[in-house]
Each structure stands twice: as structure tokens, then as C-alpha cells.
């Protein structure tokens, strides 16, 4: 009886606390309707995705440090099952896959981690992160209420949670991990799979929570996520999102900072003004956790790219570029945004906003805490016009599609559309490390009598045969052509038709390349149609089917086919059509060069290589090329320029840097306006250029001397055109407007209270060890264009160059105040002027180049 009343009483107290919104801090990370709480404190958290296998361990510290300096609190990564468990029960946590080291690097930098275990990750990663062997577990069906799948998924999730626990990496143990994710964007699948989907999702949540990590679990894009799992939003915008329960915080686990690219497509970019606008929108509506996907995209080394057809570069137009260099102005503008939001943190987490209208498309969101903190967000949703609004008896000028942040409800410290930070010009420059002698070896196309082949009647699905151990599968058959066939006597050649389910095919007739055909990410199925030239007697038809990354998204993608499933038929023979689909086919997995390990320093001498000059005379398809080079001095990131080549793979010192393909980008590369809803087709670059010309060569993979470069070329390019380049900041630009004389409070808005002390300034800064050697462009007036293509406008102060030269030449950094007096006199009174500058950065020891004026 006594126990009963005690428990009733405690229930009552608990209920009372709940009503009052009091949190029980049993573990150090918890949540309420406003935010994630760490050690009892509600936090507005900025996070960024950096996927550990997409860079090298040597890069991790630098990337994470840059993330910290960019104003992030959290680093997020998926966990990639297929690299960790290449065969059942055999684990690999070495090198790029050293997850513990990665998380400890985050910890050492003083940041938190969000571990998105999945284990389904999507991520444009081969097979969405699932090991290919998983597909061959008897009775398996992925991501649904299926015992073999659930057993395997639980096994891997437990393995990862166990590993993290054993290293004390959860926040509840004093480690950096504050959040974990189970599954990934399951909502759409769940709906398609009905009850089975719902059962699986509920099971997954329960299984994860049962692992007792002491930190919250999230499910992204899963509106039914059961308590206590938090459902979160992914997208280009998430301001319309709210969680499925009123007591969960509003979280955005993937704020897409750019987009991925596919071979043959243009480069996608997202203007930072729009990204910053989307983030500010989310915060003003009460969102308290934002993860940039990606903050550093990196590289799909080896055959890790999914898709199919995803490029080796996973640059993503992220704030840190593929090579680990900061991308300006994206990085700097977001850093300023983070600073501005952090100034509002107290008000944001302790109050709900009061929303008022400031015009037809303008609003104010005001957060006032009990202790008197006030923060305001003034927004202009109009995509075409700036707006002059009145707020708290002051005027504010809002550019189109922008939000101003006022951490004290008075002074604007940031506007999403006003990019004040400098832009950096990054270029691929030649290195002084030439490729030494090129030698070549032609892949043997006559695989027929090889002992490693198998035969079958009919056409087999590619992955069932290769188990994805290689991109390549040979399908070989033969046809007997009678000497009386008409085409041998002047008649029309027969036509070969090959229907493939993906992803590319090269057709060899009697050992000679007779044509190729390729699918695309949208149309994996494609048909090859081409004339064939046979001789009388037996002819070999060898089809080299090439996978370009396995699918990573789509309902039951594990059942999707790859390879040549037919029909394969010859048309135009005297007998009419000859269907070869059910003929005897010989199969060979992979290339001979792969089997002999030609790519590695150990296997290289197993064949006779042909000297480069001979090979260059007649570039052959299916050819291995090798060369040696010394590591260039310095520490700029390196890449290989593959412009003169076709399609294949690249290895350095035996390690694969990935697939290359000089497919030219088609698309619409018209100008892109930041204002208005962003979607990837809106802002495209690189039309008419190879989608990917440069391939990252991590410095850490090089020895000082004699590095082995091996290239396997499918189509036939000229290897002597291959060169090593370095990614360098060659120049910086800045573009800053003077204050508007007619807007009284403009100076207060942008630069603080005192007009004299806080006039706008142009800041220019080269990388460490570099200095400003010349002024490529300088104009105070009404200059036109953007960084790299500035031009003088109708108004130009003649002293512009002199001032910049005097202040900046020979220095690593400089600043110039924007005022008429600084430039002699006002070059055009009553006109709003700006200063646009582009300078050249060069190693500090180099003598100054003559400037470009003359
Ligand atoms: C999301 C997915 C990510 C990634 C992204 C596109 O839907 O969760 O893993 O694939 O799309 O880059």
C-alpha cells in the first residue's frame, strides 16, 4: 500500500515537472520542444557533413579545424557498412575507414559528432552503403520487415555502437557523439511497403533505442518516427517542417549546400545567398539544429561512387572544396551567419517568436526572453525587389530574398544577401613534376580459352556473376558466317543490336573495338545498334559490360539489374534475324590486368610493357598505361588532369583514386540568380566541358620520388597529355558597396554605431606564404561583372589602382576603407558606388609582376 502511494506521488511530481517543461537530465544529452540540450543547456547547433572515407586521415584534422573556424559545433558522418565489412564477419577499420580515429579527431578539436549509422546511407555511395554480399544472404529483402535483413542490420548497428562505447565516444560517456541516426529517409519507402514498412521502421527505432547509447536517436524524413526518436527534415529548405510531436525539437539534418554531379552532366552550384537565406528562414521559424550536407564533400575514391554515373569528385559545391580548401565566399558568408545566429542564441532558445507583417512580402520574427534578451529577423520574400521596412521606429533596407539578423532587435549584424567576404580564385596550375617515360600494355581481348572463364546458355545478370569485385564483365560468343553471305560480296553489313540494363558496353568483333554505348543515371537501360564487319568463318563477339557504380537509392534497388540481359541479335544476315540471347556465352569477370595486379608496384612487372612513343602513335582501346613521377614540392593539393583521355580508372602507387570519364557536360548554363527557390537545374556550370577533368591525388599517397601512376583506358586516349597539377589560390576578389547616403540608418545596420569608425572596408587576404603581387582590377565607382570578369563602369575613380597598389602590393593581407576622400574625390556624386578589386596572389618570394593596367 505504502509503495503504491509513493509511486503515485512520484508519478504526480513527474507529471507536474513535465507540464512545467522541466527536463530530467538523466543523461547529458536530451531534448525538448525547443532544442537539443547538452548538460542541461538548450543549444542552437550548426553541424556539417564530412564523410571520413571521402578524404584521407591526414586531411581530417585540417578539415575539422576549418569546420570549427567556420562556426560549426558538430561534425556529422554516415557510417559506411560496405567498407567496414567487405565480407561477412571480416571488419576493416584501417586507414580511411578508421572511424574511431575520425571521431577522436572531432573530439580533439572540441566539437560534437553526429553519427548517422544508417546502415542504409544513400549518399551517392556504392549500393547505398550496403555490402554487395548482403544481397546474396538467402531470403533477404532490403529495408523491410524481413528477418535476414533485420538480423544483418542489427548486427552491424550493434557492432558500431559497441565500438563507439568501447572507446567511450558517446556524450553520455564523456565522448563527443551527441546524436545518432538509424535508417535514412525511410518515410517514402515506408508508405510504399505498407504494413511491412511500418513494422520495419518501428522495429528499427526500438532496436536502436534499445542499444542504450545515452544520446538521442534521429530518423530523417520519417514522419512516423516513434518516441523517443526525433524525426528531422532534409532538403534545400526546411522552414515548412515541424516534428511529429510538440515536445520534439525542429531539426534539419541535411541542408543541401550544393548538389552532386554525374558524368556527362553539368556542375551544380548553390548560391550562398540562397543557402544563408534558407538557414535564416529555418532559424527564424524556431529551428535549432542545422547540418550542412555537405560541408566537405571530398572524393569518391576507388569504386565507392554510387548512382550509377556519380562522378569521382563529390565536391558538392560545399564550403570546403573537394581538395580541402575553403571555398569563398561560401565558407566566409556562412561563418558570419553562424556568428550572427549565435548572438541571438539565448533569445532563440528561450522564447517563441512574435510574428508581425512589415509589408506584402516582408515579416519580422521577434524573440524576447524573460531575462530581456531580444533578437529579431527581418525578412523579405520578394524575389525581385528590395524593400525598405520600418521596424521599432527605424528604417531597414532588405535586398530581395533576404533576411537581416538583429541580435539586439536594433542593429543589423548580417543580411543573407549581402556578401561582404572576399571571393577566392582557385586554379589548377602546372607542377614541375613531369610524367616520366610512358609505357603501355594492351589488355588481352581474347579471353575465351582462359581457365577463369565460365560458360552458360543465355545472358546472365552482371552483379550475380562479378559480385561487384570488378566493374568489368566480358560476355563472349561466336557466330559462323558462311562464305556466301551477301554482305561479304558487296551487300549491306549486318547490324548488331545489344540491349543492356546498365551501365556501359564496348563491342569487340574479332578483337577490334567496333563501338560503345552508355546509359545514364535516369536511363540505365540502353541499346547499342551498329553495323558489324564479319569475315567468313568463325567470328568472336565480345561485349565488355561496364558498371559505373551501383544504385544507392530507389525501392528495392538490390533487385535492379546490371549488365546485358538482351536481347542480343544480328539483323541483316541472309537468314534474316539471328537471336543470340540464348546462345552459348562465355563469361569472364574483370580484366586480365586486374587479375595480374598490374596497378601495383608488385604486379607491374608481370607483363612486357611497350614503350610510350610506340603506344602514342596509335592509341588503343583497353590499354594499360604507366608512368612515374616525383612528388611536387609545396603543400598545395594535387590532381591529375585527364582531359586527353577517354574513360577508365586511375591508380597511384597501387591505390585507386577512382573512375575517370571525360564525358562532356550537357545542360543549361545560363546565368543564375540567387533569388527564388533553388533547385539543382537552376545554377549549372561547365556546359560543353568535361564534367570532371581533374582527379584528386592525396599528398599522403605519394612518396618523394618515383611514384607509380597506372591508368586503364577503355576507349583510347593519349596518355602523354596527362599531367599533374596543383590547386592554388591565384587571386582574391572583394566587392563592397559604400553606405547609401539617403538611408539614414544604413551605417548602423551594416557597420555599427559610429559612421567614421565603421565605414565599409575591403579586406583582401592571400594564403599563408603568398602575397599580393599585382592588382588585376580595381575600380571605385560603378564597376560591372563578377570576380574574374570585372569591368569598369561609367563611373570610375582614376586613383583606384594607385590606392590599392600602395596599400596591398607585397603584403599577405590588406584593407582599404571605402570613402570618397580615400579615392581623391567623389567620382560621381549622388550615385551609389562600390569598390571591386581583384588581386593576384603568388608565393611571397616571387617578384611583383607588372600590373595589368598598361
Ligand atoms: C538525401 C540522402 C543523402 C544524399 C542526398 C543527395 O536524400 O539522404 O544521403 O543522397 O540526398 O546528395
Amino acid at each position: 500500500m505504502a509503495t503504491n502511494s509513493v509511486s503515485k506521488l512520484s508519478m504526480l511530481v513527474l507529471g507536474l515537472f513535465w507540464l512545467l517543461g522541466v527536463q530530467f537530465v538523466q543523461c547529458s544529452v536530451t531534448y525538448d520542444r525547443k532544442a537539443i540540450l547538452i548538460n542541461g543547456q538548450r543549444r542552437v547547433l550548426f553541424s556539417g557533413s564530412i564523410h571520413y572515407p571521402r578524404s584521407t586521415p591526414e586531411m581530417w584534422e585540417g578539415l575539422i579545424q576549418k569546420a570549427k573556424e567556420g562556426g560549426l559545433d558538430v561534425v556529422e558522418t554516415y557510417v559506411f557498412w560496405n567498407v567496414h565489412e567487405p565480407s561477412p564477419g571480416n571488419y576493416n577499420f584501417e586507414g580511411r575507414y578508421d572511424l574511431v580515429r575520425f571521431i577522436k579527431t572531432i573530439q580533439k578539436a572540441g566539437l560534437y559528432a553526429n553519427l548517422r549509422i544508417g546502415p542504409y546511407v544513400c549518399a551517392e555511395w556504392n549500393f547505398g552503403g550496403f555490402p554487395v554480399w548482403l544481397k546474396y544472404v538467402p531470403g533477404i529483402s532490403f529495408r523491410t520487415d524481413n528477418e535476414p535483413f533485420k538480423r544483418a542490420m542489427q548486427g552491424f548497428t550493434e557492432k558500431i555502437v559497441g565500438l563507439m562505447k568501447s572507446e567511450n565516444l558517446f556524450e553520455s560517456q564523456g565522448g563527443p557523439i551527441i546524436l545518432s541516426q538509424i535508417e535514412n529517409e525511410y518515410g517514402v519507402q515506408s508508405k510504399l511497403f505498407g504494413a511491412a514498412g511500418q513494422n520495419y521502421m518501428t522495429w528499427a527505432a526500438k532496436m536502436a533505442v534499445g542499444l542504450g547509447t545515452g544520446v538521442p536517436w534521429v530518423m530523417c524524413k520519417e514522419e512516423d518516427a516513434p518516441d523517443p526518436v526525433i524525426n528531422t527534415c532534409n532538403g534545400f529548405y526546411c522552414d515548412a517542417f515541424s516534428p511529429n510531436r510538440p515536445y520534439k525539437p525542429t531539426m534539419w539534418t541535411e541542408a543541401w549546400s550544393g548538389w552532386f554531379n554525374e558524368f556527362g552532366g553539368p556542375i551544380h552550384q548553390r548560391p550562398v545567398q540562397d543557402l544563408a537565406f534558407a538557414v535564416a528562414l529555418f532559424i527564424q521559424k524556431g529551428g535549432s539544429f542545422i547540418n550542412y550536407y555537405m560541408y566537405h564533400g571530398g572524393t569518391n575514391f576507388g569504386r565507392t561512387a554510387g548512382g550509377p554515373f556519380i562522378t569521382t569528385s563529390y565536391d558538392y559545391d560545399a564550403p570546403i572544396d573537394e581538395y580541402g580548401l575553403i571555398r569563398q565566399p561560401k565558407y566566409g558568408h556562412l561563418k558570419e551567419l553562424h556568428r550572427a545566429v549565435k548572438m541571438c542564441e539565448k533569445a532563440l532558445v528561450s522564447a517563441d517568436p512574435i510574428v508581425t507583417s512589415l509589408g506584402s512580402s516582408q515579416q519580422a520574427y521577434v524573440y524576447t526572453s524573460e531575462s530581456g534578451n531580444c533578437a529579431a529577423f527581418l525578412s523579405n520574400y520578394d524575389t525581385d525587389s528590395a524593400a525598405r521596412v520600418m521596424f521599432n521606429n527605424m528604417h531597414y533596407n532588405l535586398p530581395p530574398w533576404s533576411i537581416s539578423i538583429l541580435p539586439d532587435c536594433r542593429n543589423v549584424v548580417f543580411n543573407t544577401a549581402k556578401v561582404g567576404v572576399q571571393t577566392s580564385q582557385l586554379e589548377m596550375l602546372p607542377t614541375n613534376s613531369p610524367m616520366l617515360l610512358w609505357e603501355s600494355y594492351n589488355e588481352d581481348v581474347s579471353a575465351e580459352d582462359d581457365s577463369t572463364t565460365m560458360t552458360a546458355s543465355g545472358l546472365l545478370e552482371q552483379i550475380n556473376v562479378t559480385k561487384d569485385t570488378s566493374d568489368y564483365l566480358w560476355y563472349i560468343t561466336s557466330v559462323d558466317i558462311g562464305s556466301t553471305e551477301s554482305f561479304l560480296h558487296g551487300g549491306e553489313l549486318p547490324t548488331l543490336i545489344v540491349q543492356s540494363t546498365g551501365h556501359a558496353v564496348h563491342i569487340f568483333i574479332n578483337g577490334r573495338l567496333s563501338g560503345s554505348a552508355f546509359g545514364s543515371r535516369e536511363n540505365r537501360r540502353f541499346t547499342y545498334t551498329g553495323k558489324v564487319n564479319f569475315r567468313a568463318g568463325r567470328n568472336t563477339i565480345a561485349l565488355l559490360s561496364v558498371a559505373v557504380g551501383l544504385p544507392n537509392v530507389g525501392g528495392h534497388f538490390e533487385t535492379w539489374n546490371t549488365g546485358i540481359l538482351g536481347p542480343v541479335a544480328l539483323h541483316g544476315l541472309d537468314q534474316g534475324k539471328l537471336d543470340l540471347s540464348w546462345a552459348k556465352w562465355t563469361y569472364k569477370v574483370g580484366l586480365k590486368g586486374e587479375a595480374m595486379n598490374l596497378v601495383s608496384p608488385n604486379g607491374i612487372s608481370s607483363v612486357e610493357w611497350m614503350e610510350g612513343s610506340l603506344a602514342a602513335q596509335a592509341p588503343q582501346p583497353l590499354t594499360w598505361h604507366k608512368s612515374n613521377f616525383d612528388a611536387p614540392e609545396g603543400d598545395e593539393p594535387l590532381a591529375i588532369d585527364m582531359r586527353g583521355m577517354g574513360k577508365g580508372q586511375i591508380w597511384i602507387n597501387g591505390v585507386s583514386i577512382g573512375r575517370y570519364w571525360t564525358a562532356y557536360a550537357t545542360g543549361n548554363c545560363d546565368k543564375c540568380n540567387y533569388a527564388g527557390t533553388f533547385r539543382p537545374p537552376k545554377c549549372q556550370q561547365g556546359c560543353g566541358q568535361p564534367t570532371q577533368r581533374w582527379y584528386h591525388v592525396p599528398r599522403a599517397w605519394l612518396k618523394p620520388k618515383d611514384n607509380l601512376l597506372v591508368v586503364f583506358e577503355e576507349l583510347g586516349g593519349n596518355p602523354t597529355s596527362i599531367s599533374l597539377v596543383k590547386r592554388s589560390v591565384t587571386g582574391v576578389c572583394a566587392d563592397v558597396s559604400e553606405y547609401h547616403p539617403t538611408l539614414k540608418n544604413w551605417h548602423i545596420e551594416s557597420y555599427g554605431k559610429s559612421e567614421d569608425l565603421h565605414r565599409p572596408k575591403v579586406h583582401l587576404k592571400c594564403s599563408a606564404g603568398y602575397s599580393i603581387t599585382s592588382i588585376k582590377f580595381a575600380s571605385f565607382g560603378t564597376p560591372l561583372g563578377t570576380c574574374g570578369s570585372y569591368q569598369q563602369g561609367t563611373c570610375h575613380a582614376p586613383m583606384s589602382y594607385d590606392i590599392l597598389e600602395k596599400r596591398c602590393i607585397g603584403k599577405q593581407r590588406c584593407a582599404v576603407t571605402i570613402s570618397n576622400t580615400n579615392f581623391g574625390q567623389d567620382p560621381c556624386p549622388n550615385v551609389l558606388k562600390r569598390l571591386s578589386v581583384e588581386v593576384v596572389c603568388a608565393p611571397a618570394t616571387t617578384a611583383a609582376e607588372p600590373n595589368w593596367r598598361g
Side-chain angles (χ1 to χ4, degrees), residues 78 121-124 184-185 234 254 256 259-260 293 314 316:
Y78 278 132
V121 297
C122 193
E124 292 69 70
N184 189 75
E185 298 193 334
N234 293 348
E254 289 183 26
W256 297 326
W259 200 240
F260 58 83
Y293 187 99
Y314 198 64
Y316 222 88

PDB file of all heavy atoms in Angstrom, residues 78 121-124 184-185 234 254 256 259-260 293 314 316, ligand 1:
ATOM      1  N   TYR A  78      28.074   9.795 -41.978  1.00  0.00           N
ATOM      2  CA  TYR A  78      27.434   8.488 -42.102  1.00  0.00           C
ATOM      3  C   TYR A  78      28.468   7.445 -41.709  1.00  0.00           C
ATOM      4  O   TYR A  78      29.680   7.729 -41.678  1.00  0.00           O
ATOM      5  CB  TYR A  78      27.081   8.216 -43.572  1.00  0.00           C
ATOM      6  CG  TYR A  78      25.798   8.820 -44.089  1.00  0.00           C
ATOM      7  CD1 TYR A  78      25.803   9.513 -45.294  1.00  0.00           C
ATOM      8  CD2 TYR A  78      24.585   8.633 -43.449  1.00  0.00           C
ATOM      9  CE1 TYR A  78      24.631  10.040 -45.836  1.00  0.00           C
ATOM     10  CE2 TYR A  78      23.404   9.155 -43.991  1.00  0.00           C
ATOM     11  CZ  TYR A  78      23.431   9.852 -45.174  1.00  0.00           C
ATOM     12  OH  TYR A  78      22.279  10.348 -45.707  1.00  0.00           O
ATOM     13  N   VAL A 121      22.621   4.341 -46.153  1.00  0.00           N
ATOM     14  CA  VAL A 121      23.041   5.742 -46.108  1.00  0.00           C
ATOM     15  C   VAL A 121      22.712   6.539 -47.370  1.00  0.00           C
ATOM     16  O   VAL A 121      22.852   7.759 -47.370  1.00  0.00           O
ATOM     17  CB  VAL A 121      24.559   5.873 -45.808  1.00  0.00           C
ATOM     18  CG1 VAL A 121      24.882   5.298 -44.438  1.00  0.00           C
ATOM     19  CG2 VAL A 121      25.437   5.252 -46.884  1.00  0.00           C
ATOM     20  N   CYS A 122      22.351   5.895 -48.462  1.00  0.00           N
ATOM     21  CA  CYS A 122      22.102   6.611 -49.725  1.00  0.00           C
ATOM     22  C   CYS A 122      23.415   7.259 -50.180  1.00  0.00           C
ATOM     23  O   CYS A 122      24.271   6.592 -50.720  1.00  0.00           O
ATOM     24  CB  CYS A 122      20.972   7.618 -49.552  1.00  0.00           C
ATOM     25  SG  CYS A 122      20.363   8.269 -51.119  1.00  0.00           S
ATOM     26  N   ALA A 123      23.574   8.587 -49.964  1.00  0.00           N
ATOM     27  CA  ALA A 123      24.876   9.263 -50.026  1.00  0.00           C
ATOM     28  C   ALA A 123      25.630   9.172 -51.355  1.00  0.00           C
ATOM     29  O   ALA A 123      26.843   9.399 -51.382  1.00  0.00           O
ATOM     30  CB  ALA A 123      25.776   8.756 -48.896  1.00  0.00           C
ATOM     31  N   GLU A 124      24.940   8.792 -52.464  1.00  0.00           N
ATOM     32  CA  GLU A 124      25.648   8.657 -53.743  1.00  0.00           C
ATOM     33  C   GLU A 124      26.840   7.693 -53.591  1.00  0.00           C
ATOM     34  O   GLU A 124      27.857   7.805 -54.242  1.00  0.00           O
ATOM     35  CB  GLU A 124      26.125  10.014 -54.286  1.00  0.00           C
ATOM     36  CG  GLU A 124      25.020  10.930 -54.726  1.00  0.00           C
ATOM     37  CD  GLU A 124      24.163  11.454 -53.585  1.00  0.00           C
ATOM     38  OE1 GLU A 124      24.643  12.267 -52.776  1.00  0.00           O
ATOM     39  OE2 GLU A 124      22.994  11.039 -53.506  1.00  0.00           O
ATOM     40  N   ASN A 184      17.532   5.940 -43.036  1.00  0.00           N
ATOM     41  CA  ASN A 184      17.767   7.208 -43.725  1.00  0.00           C
ATOM     42  C   ASN A 184      16.621   7.461 -44.692  1.00  0.00           C
ATOM     43  O   ASN A 184      16.394   6.653 -45.604  1.00  0.00           O
ATOM     44  CB  ASN A 184      19.082   7.136 -44.503  1.00  0.00           C
ATOM     45  CG  ASN A 184      19.499   8.485 -45.062  1.00  0.00           C
ATOM     46  OD1 ASN A 184      19.972   9.343 -44.314  1.00  0.00           O
ATOM     47  ND2 ASN A 184      19.310   8.690 -46.353  1.00  0.00           N
ATOM     48  N   GLU A 185      15.909   8.541 -44.467  1.00  0.00           N
ATOM     49  CA  GLU A 185      14.799   8.930 -45.341  1.00  0.00           C
ATOM     50  C   GLU A 185      13.885   7.745 -45.655  1.00  0.00           C
ATOM     51  O   GLU A 185      13.623   7.447 -46.813  1.00  0.00           O
ATOM     52  CB  GLU A 185      15.345   9.542 -46.645  1.00  0.00           C
ATOM     53  CG  GLU A 185      16.161  10.799 -46.417  1.00  0.00           C
ATOM     54  CD  GLU A 185      16.433  11.581 -47.689  1.00  0.00           C
ATOM     55  OE1 GLU A 185      16.447  10.965 -48.762  1.00  0.00           O
ATOM     56  OE2 GLU A 185      16.630  12.802 -47.596  1.00  0.00           O
ATOM     57  N   ASN A 234      15.182  16.909 -44.254  1.00  0.00           N
ATOM     58  CA  ASN A 234      16.280  17.050 -45.217  1.00  0.00           C
ATOM     59  C   ASN A 234      15.749  17.840 -46.400  1.00  0.00           C
ATOM     60  O   ASN A 234      14.599  17.618 -46.803  1.00  0.00           O
ATOM     61  CB  ASN A 234      16.734  15.693 -45.775  1.00  0.00           C
ATOM     62  CG  ASN A 234      17.396  14.797 -44.728  1.00  0.00           C
ATOM     63  OD1 ASN A 234      17.725  15.238 -43.634  1.00  0.00           O
ATOM     64  ND2 ASN A 234      17.586  13.544 -45.094  1.00  0.00           N
ATOM     65  N   GLU A 254      19.856  17.545 -43.158  1.00  0.00           N
ATOM     66  CA  GLU A 254      20.578  17.739 -44.427  1.00  0.00           C
ATOM     67  C   GLU A 254      20.131  19.046 -45.064  1.00  0.00           C
ATOM     68  O   GLU A 254      19.080  19.094 -45.718  1.00  0.00           O
ATOM     69  CB  GLU A 254      20.330  16.591 -45.416  1.00  0.00           C
ATOM     70  CG  GLU A 254      20.995  15.291 -45.010  1.00  0.00           C
ATOM     71  CD  GLU A 254      20.795  14.174 -46.031  1.00  0.00           C
ATOM     72  OE1 GLU A 254      20.583  14.466 -47.234  1.00  0.00           O
ATOM     73  OE2 GLU A 254      20.822  13.007 -45.616  1.00  0.00           O
ATOM     74  N   TRP A 256      21.097  21.030 -47.915  1.00  0.00           N
ATOM     75  CA  TRP A 256      21.949  20.743 -49.078  1.00  0.00           C
ATOM     76  C   TRP A 256      22.691  22.004 -49.524  1.00  0.00           C
ATOM     77  O   TRP A 256      22.101  22.947 -50.044  1.00  0.00           O
ATOM     78  CB  TRP A 256      21.109  20.135 -50.205  1.00  0.00           C
ATOM     79  CG  TRP A 256      20.515  18.808 -49.802  1.00  0.00           C
ATOM     80  CD1 TRP A 256      21.092  17.869 -48.980  1.00  0.00           C
ATOM     81  CD2 TRP A 256      19.239  18.260 -50.165  1.00  0.00           C
ATOM     82  NE1 TRP A 256      20.257  16.788 -48.817  1.00  0.00           N
ATOM     83  CE2 TRP A 256      19.120  16.993 -49.529  1.00  0.00           C
ATOM     84  CE3 TRP A 256      18.191  18.710 -50.960  1.00  0.00           C
ATOM     85  CZ2 TRP A 256      17.988  16.177 -49.683  1.00  0.00           C
ATOM     86  CZ3 TRP A 256      17.069  17.899 -51.107  1.00  0.00           C
ATOM     87  CH2 TRP A 256      16.979  16.647 -50.483  1.00  0.00           C
ATOM     88  N   TRP A 259      25.090  20.339 -54.701  1.00  0.00           N
ATOM     89  CA  TRP A 259      24.482  19.092 -55.182  1.00  0.00           C
ATOM     90  C   TRP A 259      25.582  18.230 -55.792  1.00  0.00           C
ATOM     91  O   TRP A 259      26.660  18.731 -56.142  1.00  0.00           O
ATOM     92  CB  TRP A 259      23.373  19.395 -56.189  1.00  0.00           C
ATOM     93  CG  TRP A 259      22.377  18.289 -56.397  1.00  0.00           C
ATOM     94  CD1 TRP A 259      22.102  17.647 -57.566  1.00  0.00           C
ATOM     95  CD2 TRP A 259      21.512  17.695 -55.402  1.00  0.00           C
ATOM     96  NE1 TRP A 259      21.106  16.704 -57.366  1.00  0.00           N
ATOM     97  CE2 TRP A 259      20.732  16.703 -56.049  1.00  0.00           C
ATOM     98  CE3 TRP A 259      21.331  17.885 -54.031  1.00  0.00           C
ATOM     99  CZ2 TRP A 259      19.791  15.921 -55.376  1.00  0.00           C
ATOM    100  CZ3 TRP A 259      20.387  17.099 -53.356  1.00  0.00           C
ATOM    101  CH2 TRP A 259      19.633  16.140 -54.034  1.00  0.00           C
ATOM    102  N   PHE A 260      25.294  16.945 -55.954  1.00  0.00           N
ATOM    103  CA  PHE A 260      26.278  16.028 -56.557  1.00  0.00           C
ATOM    104  C   PHE A 260      26.232  16.131 -58.078  1.00  0.00           C
ATOM    105  O   PHE A 260      25.284  16.691 -58.644  1.00  0.00           O
ATOM    106  CB  PHE A 260      26.018  14.591 -56.092  1.00  0.00           C
ATOM    107  CG  PHE A 260      24.625  14.094 -56.429  1.00  0.00           C
ATOM    108  CD1 PHE A 260      24.329  13.579 -57.682  1.00  0.00           C
ATOM    109  CD2 PHE A 260      23.603  14.170 -55.483  1.00  0.00           C
ATOM    110  CE1 PHE A 260      23.061  13.130 -57.996  1.00  0.00           C
ATOM    111  CE2 PHE A 260      22.308  13.724 -55.787  1.00  0.00           C
ATOM    112  CZ  PHE A 260      22.049  13.203 -57.038  1.00  0.00           C
ATOM    113  N   TYR A 293      24.772  19.477 -45.589  1.00  0.00           N
ATOM    114  CA  TYR A 293      25.134  18.289 -46.352  1.00  0.00           C
ATOM    115  C   TYR A 293      25.504  18.782 -47.745  1.00  0.00           C
ATOM    116  O   TYR A 293      24.632  19.249 -48.446  1.00  0.00           O
ATOM    117  CB  TYR A 293      23.955  17.322 -46.447  1.00  0.00           C
ATOM    118  CG  TYR A 293      24.335  16.012 -47.091  1.00  0.00           C
ATOM    119  CD1 TYR A 293      24.607  14.886 -46.327  1.00  0.00           C
ATOM    120  CD2 TYR A 293      24.448  15.893 -48.487  1.00  0.00           C
ATOM    121  CE1 TYR A 293      24.973  13.684 -46.922  1.00  0.00           C
ATOM    122  CE2 TYR A 293      24.817  14.703 -49.067  1.00  0.00           C
ATOM    123  CZ  TYR A 293      25.073  13.601 -48.284  1.00  0.00           C
ATOM    124  OH  TYR A 293      25.447  12.407 -48.865  1.00  0.00           O
ATOM    125  N   TYR A 314      33.226  14.397 -55.306  1.00  0.00           N
ATOM    126  CA  TYR A 314      31.985  14.626 -54.555  1.00  0.00           C
ATOM    127  C   TYR A 314      32.095  16.013 -53.926  1.00  0.00           C
ATOM    128  O   TYR A 314      31.800  16.214 -52.760  1.00  0.00           O
ATOM    129  CB  TYR A 314      31.801  13.519 -53.503  1.00  0.00           C
ATOM    130  CG  TYR A 314      30.388  13.389 -52.963  1.00  0.00           C
ATOM    131  CD1 TYR A 314      29.337  13.029 -53.793  1.00  0.00           C
ATOM    132  CD2 TYR A 314      30.117  13.589 -51.621  1.00  0.00           C
ATOM    133  CE1 TYR A 314      28.046  12.894 -53.302  1.00  0.00           C
ATOM    134  CE2 TYR A 314      28.824  13.450 -51.117  1.00  0.00           C
ATOM    135  CZ  TYR A 314      27.792  13.100 -51.963  1.00  0.00           C
ATOM    136  OH  TYR A 314      26.510  12.955 -51.481  1.00  0.00           O
ATOM    137  N   TYR A 316      30.471  18.822 -54.320  1.00  0.00           N
ATOM    138  CA  TYR A 316      29.165  19.233 -53.805  1.00  0.00           C
ATOM    139  C   TYR A 316      28.983  20.743 -53.702  1.00  0.00           C
ATOM    140  O   TYR A 316      28.013  21.223 -53.144  1.00  0.00           O
ATOM    141  CB  TYR A 316      28.926  18.593 -52.420  1.00  0.00           C
ATOM    142  CG  TYR A 316      27.507  18.072 -52.252  1.00  0.00           C
ATOM    143  CD1 TYR A 316      27.176  16.786 -52.642  1.00  0.00           C
ATOM    144  CD2 TYR A 316      26.512  18.877 -51.718  1.00  0.00           C
ATOM    145  CE1 TYR A 316      25.876  16.305 -52.492  1.00  0.00           C
ATOM    146  CE2 TYR A 316      25.213  18.412 -51.577  1.00  0.00           C
ATOM    147  CZ  TYR A 316      24.902  17.115 -51.960  1.00  0.00           C
ATOM    148  OH  TYR A 316      23.624  16.641 -51.824  1.00  0.00           O
TER     149      TYR A 316
HETATM  150  C1  LIG B   1      19.451  12.666 -49.491  1.00  0.00           C
HETATM  151  C2  LIG B   1      20.146  11.489 -48.850  1.00  0.00           C
HETATM  152  C3  LIG B   1      21.646  11.701 -48.839  1.00  0.00           C
HETATM  153  C4  LIG B   1      22.115  12.121 -50.204  1.00  0.00           C
HETATM  154  C5  LIG B   1      21.350  13.345 -50.647  1.00  0.00           C
HETATM  155  C6  LIG B   1      21.719  13.834 -52.022  1.00  0.00           C
HETATM  156  O1  LIG B   1      18.151  12.385 -49.806  1.00  0.00           O
HETATM  157  O2  LIG B   1      19.685  11.296 -47.539  1.00  0.00           O
HETATM  158  O3  LIG B   1      22.286  10.528 -48.439  1.00  0.00           O
HETATM  159  O4  LIG B   1      21.925  11.073 -51.085  1.00  0.00           O
HETATM  160  O5  LIG B   1      20.009  13.049 -50.710  1.00  0.00           O
HETATM  161  O6  LIG B   1      23.035  14.157 -52.063  1.00  0.00           O
END
